[in-house]
Amino acid sequence: MASSTKRPRPRASGATDQDRSRTAPEAVEPDAVASEAVGPEAVEPEAVPHVRVAVIGSGFGGLGAGVRLRRAGITDFVVLERADSVGGTWRDNSYPGCACDVPSHLYSFSFAPNPDWPRSFSGQPDIRAYLEKVADVFGLRPHLRFNTEVTEARWDVEQTRWRITTTAGRWTADAVVAAAGPLADPQIPELPGLDSFPGKVFHSSRWDHDFALAGKRVAMVGTGASAAQIVPAIQPQVGKLTVFQRTPAWVLPRRDRAITELEKRLHSRFPITAKARRGTLFALRELQVDAFVRRPGLLKLVQRLAERHLADGVADPALRAKLTPDYRIGCKRILLSNTYYPALAAANTEVVPAGLREVRGSTLVAADGSEHEVDAIVFGTGFHVTDMPMGSRVFGADGTSFAERWKEGMEALRGSTVHGFPNFFFVIGPNTGLGNSSMILMIESQLNYLIDALTRLDEIGATAMQPTARAQRRWNLELQHRMDRTVWSTGGCRSWYLDKSGKNTVLWPGSTTSFRRATRKVDLTEYELILRRDDRAAPPAPFAISESSDSPALSASAGPPAAATGTEEVMA
């Protein structure tokens, strides 16, 4: 993006709502930033554009944030996207067979129903096309900044705003919404000899479509959700497929079918039918929650169904033994596939019941000592979830990064905000993941929380907010106490839900309904509210300005979090 010589007028600390709703400006190159400052109270250099909200990422979370901001009358925002198009994980993951394991009519925004889903479980191209349409229909294109990777975000205590550095320039923002998601940065294990492998190597989320697999000897490393889709898609065309399985997964049948033209016309002409369909799907998944989070013993019947599915798909008893997990179903992610087992049982497939230990030229050495010659390696080894790379790029009020703050494990208040990082809001933050339903439900709940927070700041006349350390700690102590009863803690497995200390910092130990209630409104007793240094007008009662010179704040009671109240909205 070319440097700009245009100097936008800086926004005064008491900017009006009209000022805040202007169209988000373009970024400028870092070398265009003015270096001169006038006096100790100098304003932000004029060459650095300021927005009310900077959103990081343009997947479901980022686009949803943009829609909700516009609906709330906030149009002064940018969506910073490191790639060249929207879509997030549904843009990055384009591997053969890529599809969603949540029904289409539930895996979409409640405010943007799609009557034209082609299948009950739609594929990656259709989901990505849906997100492109959302960007168009809801007028988000002017706010999108592509090829703009955030390299640093730092809270400026003096100016009470975020300073954001990207590969395309700099911004400042009153608030930041982190919507990059946990499935953004692929994880490839550090293996001895991998750098000298003479063949092709890539991660499932960075699929090389120019590389022809036909007739090749291909290694699939990992047996998670991506592998369960990749293996059946490439097995018929490769010469030899070697699957390195460190831990087998439980697999259930996938009840997928084409949605008829009659159904599409019905949903388009009578939207209430699509809402009813979504509501039914939602209710069925809410009924499953109790078995995962409170009564794992109820999953025994589901496990028997999975055992029968394995027996039907694999005739060889030796292979069945390799593919039978030794942990309770639900402890690790349950896979859905009708074709995975037949592909593993095919004549040109070999299942190695061990992880990959090292690479010697074109020979892969498994942890059990077996050796395998291959031409290409596909890693289906997941993502940096509990150690997200962005954590080392974001610095809070005391100069501490998320990576430093979370050395003992990620945590946030209601999965959304973190003490020490004012006006920084997560979408799909710590402990907001699901094991059985649609993440879009969680995203929309967090967007409710975000919009309420920004609205409350305006109403009160404060500039920023951050959770109190006490409120955040109480929330997470209760959350981890509830986690102790879940199948993810008691099922006898080691999953990617757990960090290096064995703490589950990924999943939500409850229903989506309970999370919606917990994030319906911001509880100000859980927050410190911060004023600008040049704006110390007395706020409305009952809050009082803190006399601290380090962080002028409106101090509310730091009592325990209020109990969630209210009635759940219809998820349709």
Side-chain angles (χ1 to χ4, degrees):
M1 190 176 295
S3 299
S4 171
T5 57
K6 183 178 180 180
R7 293 175 174 263
R9 183 175 61 187
R11 197 188 83 190
S13 60
T16 64
D17 288 342
Q18 184 176 1
D19 294 329
R20 290 175 174 171
S21 63
R22 67 186 186 280
T23 300
E26 291 282 349
V28 297
E29 296 293 339
D31 60 3
V33 178
S35 60
E36 61 270 24
V38 182
E41 299 296 326
V43 297
E44 178 67 30
E46 291 182 321
V48 178
H50 182 79
V51 292
R52 187 177 183 193
V53 181
V55 181
I56 303 173
S58 65
F60 269 99
L63 295 181
V67 172
R68 292 300 307 276
L69 287 168
R70 286 181 60 86
R71 286 188 164 188
I74 302 171
T75 58
D76 182 11
F77 69 91
V78 290
V79 180
L80 308 175
E81 171 54 60
R82 66 184 179 183
D84 58 4
S85 60
V86 303
T89 191
W90 294 107
R91 173 200 59 238
D92 296 341
N93 287 272
S94 60
Y95 57 77
C98 184
C100 188
D101 57 7
V102 175
S104 304
H105 287 85
L106 192 59
Y107 199 79
S108 50
F109 290 120
S110 63
F111 53 78
N114 178 20
D116 297 320
W117 288 117
R119 302 193 65 84
S120 50
F121 291 87
S122 290
Q124 176 265 343
D126 299 305
I127 298 173
R128 184 178 180 185
Y130 169 79
L131 290 172
E132 292 280 2
K133 187 175 181 179
V134 167
D136 291 331
V137 170
F138 290 91
L140 300 181
R141 296 290 177 185
H143 303 275
L144 294 167
R145 302 292 181 268
F146 294 125
N147 301 306
T148 304
E149 182 173 6
V150 174
T151 56
E152 181 181 279
R154 189 176 293 271
W155 177 253
D156 186 331
V157 176
E158 292 293 328
Q159 297 296 321
T160 56
R161 60 180 55 172
W162 284 95
R163 295 183 179 276
I164 303 167
T165 304
T166 78
T167 54
R170 299 177 184 172
W171 277 268
T172 62
D174 290 338
V176 172
V177 178
L183 306 183
D185 296 284
Q187 181 169 258
I188 294 179
E190 296 182 3
L191 295 168
L194 181 60
D195 291 342
S196 61
F197 179 70
K200 193 71 178 178
V201 178
F202 52 87
H203 190 273
S204 59
S205 66
R206 302 293 186 269
W207 196 270
D208 189 340
H209 291 277
D210 294 329
F211 180 72
L213 293 174
K216 298 291 197 306
R217 298 169 300 177
V218 180
M220 180 75 230
V221 182
T223 51
S226 297
Q229 297 178 343
I230 293 170
V231 167
I234 68 173
Q235 174 269 319
Q237 58 180 297
V238 302
K240 174 71 180 294
L241 179 61
T242 305
V243 179
F244 288 83
Q245 173 190 267
R246 189 169 57 181
T247 308
W250 287 109
V251 183
L252 289 172
R254 184 182 181 87
R255 308 300 183 188
D256 188 26
R257 66 173 180 84
I259 295 177
T260 67
E261 291 302 317
L262 177 60
E263 289 174 286
K264 294 177 188 177
R265 289 196 297 270
L266 186 66
H267 293 333
S268 180
R269 186 171 181 181
F270 303 103
I272 189 65
T273 61
K275 288 184 177 181
R277 186 174 192 160
R278 179 184 174 94
T280 300
L281 293 169
F282 166 73
L284 289 173
R285 275 151 183 77
E286 289 294 88
L287 291 174
Q288 300 170 6
V289 171
D290 195 57
F292 284 87
V293 303
R294 282 184 291 272
R295 299 179 179 85
L298 297 176
L299 292 168
K300 290 180 180 178
L301 176 60
V302 180
Q303 186 163 316
R304 284 199 290 270
L305 293 175
E307 291 168 348
R308 171 52 56 189
H309 186 52
L310 173 58
D312 291 342
V314 179
D316 180 10
L319 180 57
R320 276 206 309 272
K322 289 182 182 180
L323 299 176
T324 302
D326 60 359
Y327 56 86
R328 177 177 288 166
I329 193 170
C331 185
K332 293 171 70 75
R333 184 173 177 178
I334 301 173
L335 308 184
L336 302 179
S337 178
N338 300 327
T339 54
Y340 183 51
Y341 285 146
L344 293 179
N348 66 332
T349 302
E350 178 183 4
V351 177
V352 180
L356 180 57
R357 188 176 70 194
E358 64 177 302
V359 180
R360 299 174 188 165
S362 59
T363 301
L364 306 190
V365 183
D368 63 4
S370 60
E371 299 183 0
H372 309 270
E373 292 286 324
V374 300
D375 304 308
I377 306 173
V378 179
F379 284 99
T381 45
F383 300 84
H384 289 277
V385 177
T386 60
D387 60 339
M388 54 178 160
M390 189 185 71
S392 62
R393 304 179 185 181
V394 181
F395 299 86
D398 63 357
T400 301
S401 69
F402 275 118
E404 295 170 306
R405 182 64 56 88
W406 284 344
K407 285 188 296 186
E408 303 302 320
M410 299 191 304
E411 67 172 39
L413 175 61
R414 303 179 186 271
S416 301
T417 55
V418 179
H419 177 70
F421 296 80
N423 276 15
F424 196 97
F425 301 90
F426 279 99
V427 177
I428 314 183
N431 290 112
T432 59
L434 296 176
N436 72 307
S437 192
S438 172
M439 278 306 302
I440 313 306
L441 305 176
M442 303 295 279
I443 288 172
E444 291 199 32
S445 292
Q446 290 198 278
L447 296 179
N448 290 343
Y449 197 73
L450 163 69
I451 297 302
D452 189 58
L454 296 177
T455 302
R456 299 292 287 278
L457 285 174
D458 279 350
E459 292 172 350
I460 294 170
T463 300
M465 65 195 313
Q466 65 172 339
T468 65
R470 182 183 180 189
Q472 181 176 312
R473 189 61 185 149
R474 287 178 63 94
W475 171 263
N476 284 279
L477 285 173
E478 173 61 23
L479 186 150
Q480 290 301 325
H481 175 69
R482 293 165 59 191
M483 193 71 72
D484 289 342
R485 295 183 297 174
T486 67
V487 68
W488 312 306
S489 299
T490 63
C493 74
R494 175 78 189 187
S495 71
W496 60 269
Y497 304 144
L498 310 180
D499 63 17
K500 59 184 179 182
S501 67
K503 180 180 176 182
N504 191 327
T505 60
V506 174
L507 296 180
W508 167 246
S511 66
T512 60
T513 301
S514 64
F515 189 76
R516 174 62 63 92
R517 287 197 299 265
T519 53
R520 183 183 299 278
K521 296 289 184 182
V522 170
D523 180 356
L524 291 179
T525 66
E526 296 181 332
Y527 282 89
E528 298 168 355
L529 305 178
I530 303 170
L531 292 176
R532 292 193 190 279
R533 286 183 176 275
D534 59 353
D535 185 10
R536 290 179 175 266
F543 301 97
I545 299 177
S546 167
E547 296 299 327
S548 168
S549 60
D550 293 330
S551 180
L554 306 180
S555 298
S557 167
T565 58
T567 304
E568 173 62 16
E569 296 174 353
V570 176
M571 301 299 300

